[in-house]
Amino acid sequence: MAKKELTILDKAKIEAEKTAVELTAKYGKEITPFVFIIKAEPVIGYMQEPDRLSKMRAIDMYEQSKTQAGDIILRTGLLQAESDKRILDESPENDTVYLGAIDFATKFVKIAMEQLKKK
């Protein structure tokens, strides 16, 4: 059986996971990578756990605006120095990159909401 060729996304995920392990050691806190593809190019970001106040604001905002809740988490948790610079770039051509990162950040909000429900 032939070995399956890794896709661009697969390769980027493998590299991002390795880098996240290094960043976790460097910063002394859990770093979570996210990877997606825009126009055949990988976008890689690294998130740290957002602070409590940001989580609370995002949870309160979530039902009103999922994207604004995601923005709160993205802006407080993204390791900007380590992540793709297009993520927070304000240029209109990078809006799809920003929105892809927001999609990932809303998952942090959902996790925080689930933790709140369990208590």
Side-chain angles (χ1 to χ4, degrees):
M1 187 155 87
K3 188 175 180 182
K4 184 182 172 192
E5 183 79 20
L6 292 177
T7 66
I8 293 170
L9 182 60
D10 293 333
K11 290 176 185 175
K13 283 181 178 180
I14 291 167
E15 282 303 310
E17 288 291 338
K18 288 179 188 175
T19 301
V21 170
E22 295 168 7
L23 293 174
T24 295
K26 177 180 176 181
Y27 289 102
K29 50 184 136 185
E30 186 68 29
I31 304 299
T32 304
F34 63 91
V35 181
F36 56 95
I37 301 291
I38 298 286
K39 297 181 183 174
E41 283 188 51
V43 175
I44 302 173
Y46 300 95
M47 293 283 291
Q48 62 187 335
E49 185 78 18
D51 62 76
R52 182 180 299 162
L53 183 59
S54 295
K55 287 183 206 173
M56 290 169 38
R57 287 179 42 225
I59 288 169
D60 291 343
M61 175 63 70
Y62 188 78
E63 291 303 319
Q64 186 178 2
S65 174
K66 291 173 181 58
T67 56
Q68 287 184 11
D71 181 74
I72 291 167
I73 297 300
L74 183 66
R75 291 184 186 276
T76 57
L78 184 71
L79 293 176
Q80 292 183 38
E82 312 293 349
S83 300
D84 191 311
K85 303 303 178 227
R86 297 174 294 170
I87 293 171
L88 294 180
D89 184 81
E90 298 285 332
S91 304
E93 62 268 13
N94 289 320
D95 284 352
T96 53
V97 174
Y98 168 73
L99 292 172
I102 289 291
D103 183 54
F104 177 79
T106 58
K107 292 176 180 126
F108 270 81
V109 181
K110 289 178 189 176
I111 291 168
M113 289 171 64
E114 288 300 316
Q115 289 173 341
L116 187 62
K117 287 179 187 176
K118 290 179 182 179
K119 300 214 181 225

